[in-house]
């Protein structure tokens, strides 16, 4: 999964004029963090053993291209989001820049994709992860964020979200179908709050 994630990052960066950040793997025995990876300009460090495996049962839901993806494939795309945030920003702190803040504001503060969203930088990295790994799924789940990213970047994949999830367990597909079915009702409530 790590090699596939690095290759996807290269495929994304080339047509988008982005420098490919180096990826440094670190063994678990010397990894000093709870998270499985981090970005510090200008490199990605990852402890593959701390990343999730592909989820086929139980509480494990990660799958490459799914809205939940903590596999090395998804983690590399998430960290690429931090790289893009830092390189596209004019103002930065140690962990995030004003590019991610601007995208979140311009999206109307669309809901996070996952529970991992302590700040604008992580919100953006999760959205960017899905834009890289399954752009049509992001378009269906978070259309405003997708439109903003699509205005700035050319995605690698142009096929449908189901094709990106080929080989996924039935429960993974069902979870997306449920999210998509619930989305119109949530969108109507949100519009009512804004315009009501």
């Amino acid at each position: 999964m790590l090699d596939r994630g690095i290759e996807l990052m290269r495929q994304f960066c080339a047509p988008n004029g982005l420098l490919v950040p180096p990826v440094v793997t670190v063994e678990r025995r010397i990894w000093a963090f709870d998270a499985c990876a981090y970005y510090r300009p200008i490199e990605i460090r990852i402890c593959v053993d701390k990343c999730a495996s592909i989820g086929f049962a139980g509480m494990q839901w990660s799958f490459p291209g799914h809205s939940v993806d903590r596999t090395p494939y998804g983690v590399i795309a998430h960290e690429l989001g931090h790289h893009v945030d830092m390189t596209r920003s004019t103002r930065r702190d140690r962990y995030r820049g004003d590019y991610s803040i601007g995208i979140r504001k311009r999206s109307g503060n669309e809901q996070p994709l996952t529970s991992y969203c302590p700040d604008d930088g992580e919100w953006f990295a999760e959205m960017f992860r899905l834009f890289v790994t399954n752009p049509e799924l992001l378009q269906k789940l978070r259309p405003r964020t997708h439109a903003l990213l699509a205005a700035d970047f050319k995605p690698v994949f142009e096929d449908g979200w189901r094709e990106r999830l080929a080989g996924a367990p039935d429960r993974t597909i069902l979870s997306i179908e449920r999210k998509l079915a619930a989305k119109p009702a949530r969108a109507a409530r949100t519009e009512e709050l804004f315009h009501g």
Side-chain angles (χ1 to χ4, degrees):
M1 291 274 75
L2 177 64
D3 291 339
R4 283 182 57 201
I6 292 170
E7 179 56 29
L8 176 58
M9 177 174 64
R10 288 184 181 129
Q11 289 174 350
F12 184 87
C13 288
N16 287 296
L18 297 166
L19 292 175
V20 179
V23 176
V24 177
T25 58
V26 181
E27 294 178 29
R28 187 179 195 127
R29 65 183 175 76
I30 58 173
W31 187 257
F33 305 96
D34 287 334
C36 63
Y38 64 86
Y39 173 82
R40 294 295 180 275
I42 63 160
E43 71 181 17
I44 295 170
R45 291 194 171 243
I46 184 169
C47 178
V48 174
D49 291 339
K50 289 200 69 152
C51 294
S53 300
I54 293 175
F56 288 103
M59 296 301 291
Q60 295 181 337
W61 285 90
S62 285
F63 196 88
H66 183 33
S67 60
V68 177
D69 184 2
R70 300 298 300 156
T71 68
Y73 181 83
V75 169
I76 291 293
H78 173 100
E79 299 305 330
L80 177 61
H82 290 302
H83 176 68
V84 166
D85 183 21
M86 296 301 272
T87 58
R88 289 288 176 112
S89 291
T90 56
R91 290 187 319 260
R92 307 163 188 80
D93 66 20
R94 188 170 176 198
Y95 303 111
R96 68 203 57 83
D98 59 357
Y99 183 77
S100 61
I101 293 167
I103 293 287
R104 190 171 189 178
K105 284 180 183 174
R106 289 174 31 224
S107 79
N109 202 24
E110 278 188 312
Q111 290 296 309
L113 279 174
T114 65
S115 60
Y116 187 61
C117 183
D119 56 46
D120 293 318
E122 297 301 343
W123 176 93
F124 176 79
E126 281 292 271
M127 295 289 191
F128 197 83
R129 170 186 55 78
L130 195 56
F131 182 75
V132 171
T133 63
N134 196 337
E136 187 192 57
L137 185 55
L138 180 64
Q139 188 274 327
K140 296 211 175 279
L141 293 172
R142 302 295 183 271
R144 293 185 304 257
T145 301
H146 177 273
L148 292 167
L149 292 175
D152 287 348
F153 302 101
K154 179 181 180 351
V156 172
F157 302 117
E158 295 181 3
D159 54 358
W161 68 266
R162 289 177 188 275
E163 287 77 18
R164 291 289 91 222
L165 292 173
D170 291 342
R171 72 187 194 133
T172 300
I173 303 300
L174 185 59
S175 76
I176 295 297
E177 289 172 343
R178 286 182 182 148
K179 287 177 184 180
L180 294 174
K183 192 172 180 318
R186 279 196 313 268
R189 285 193 303 274
T190 302
E191 285 299 315
E192 188 176 302
L193 289 173
F194 282 124
H195 304 292

